[in-house]
Amino acid sequence: MLLVERGHPPLEGLWSVPGGAVELGETTRAAAAREVEEETGIAIAVGRLLTVVDRLVRDASGQVQYHYVLVEYEASPLDTRAEPHAATDARQARWVEWPDLAQYALVPGLDEVLALVH
């Protein structure tokens, strides 16, 4: 799996799949491919839709600070030998094997999404 360590709030320092905002007029599939390449340098083929997730990030008083709608796709690299490098919003980027996933502090709910492809 291709994971990135988030470099900015919210959830800074936690590991996630690459992703980001959809640009005006862009499909979610095109956004997924663009964001992965921008954050890691890896070109991907976007596959099937896995799930849609609402992520609410609350402050210490319980007020909602951010509300993200995450559209999660399965994808595969166009070049299986390509090595990721962190860029834009990512501190680090790397391929992670399923057995090693427990060593990473993942964003909440990511393990459930990744289980859909394992």
Side-chain angles (χ1 to χ4, degrees), residues 52-73:
V52 177
V53 178
D54 283 295
R55 170 150 310 130
L56 300 173
V57 179
R58 299 180 185 275
D59 65 16
S61 69
Q63 296 287 71
V64 175
Q65 286 185 301
Y66 304 97
H67 181 180
Y68 297 100
V69 178
L70 307 174
V71 181
E72 305 285 0
Y73 289 101

Side-chain angles (χ1 to χ4, degrees), residues 34-55:
R34 177 185 51 75
E35 285 286 344
V36 170
E37 191 159 11
E38 284 179 1
E39 289 188 16
T40 69
I42 301 291
I44 61 167
V46 179
R48 69 184 171 109
L49 174 67
L50 295 173
T51 189
V52 177
V53 178
D54 283 295
R55 170 150 310 130

Side-chain angles (χ1 to χ4, degrees), residues 82-115:
E83 287 298 320
H85 61 273
T88 64
D89 297 337
R91 272 193 200 145
Q92 299 181 66
R94 63 178 63 146
W95 294 111
V96 177
E97 297 291 332
W98 184 262
D100 300 328
L101 200 57
Q103 299 172 27
Y104 292 82
L106 302 177
V107 297
L110 182 60
D111 53 343
E112 296 163 7
V113 172
L114 295 177

